[in-house]
Amino acid sequence: CAGWNVCATLSSSDDGGGGGTSPPRLLPFNFVSLGEMMTLGTDDATISTLGGALELDGAAASWLRRLVYAARMPTPGQAARAAADGTGRRIAR
């Protein structure tokens, strides 16, 4: 949706500047924040989501951040590797 609007706006401005063309039809777009996740060293993290309704920090946030990161991978194989890598590093310590 946002990409369509950018493309439509840019391509309408390439018409040479003298035509009687109408402005591009833009689609409605609403941004929805998914929150923030930040790692704080090797064993700590902080997570804030749902408009601040869920805030978590420390080791539990670090595990959850790694789980969310693995779940957002494009393929199941990449997700498994990311989860195994994060879990393996934590267990090895």
Side-chain angles (χ1 to χ4, degrees):
C1 191
W4 168 266
N5 290 344
V6 169
C7 184
T9 301
L10 291 176
S11 60
S12 72
S13 67
D14 290 339
D15 64 357
T21 61
S22 62
R25 180 175 167 270
L26 302 180
L27 301 175
F29 175 75
N30 293 318
F31 175 77
V32 177
S33 174
L34 298 177
E36 300 173 349
M37 295 189 303
M38 182 185 331
T39 185
L40 302 170
T42 56
D43 294 329
D44 288 324
T46 183
I47 297 174
S48 176
T49 188
L50 301 174
L54 173 66
E55 293 188 12
L56 188 63
D57 60 7
S62 181
W63 276 95
L64 184 58
R65 188 192 67 81
R66 290 176 189 268
L67 178 66
V68 170
Y69 177 78
R72 302 278 301 173
M73 288 286 122
T75 66
Q78 290 171 322
R81 282 191 298 276
D85 181 52
T87 304
R89 287 182 189 181
R90 306 269 306 180
I91 292 172
R93 284 187 218 153

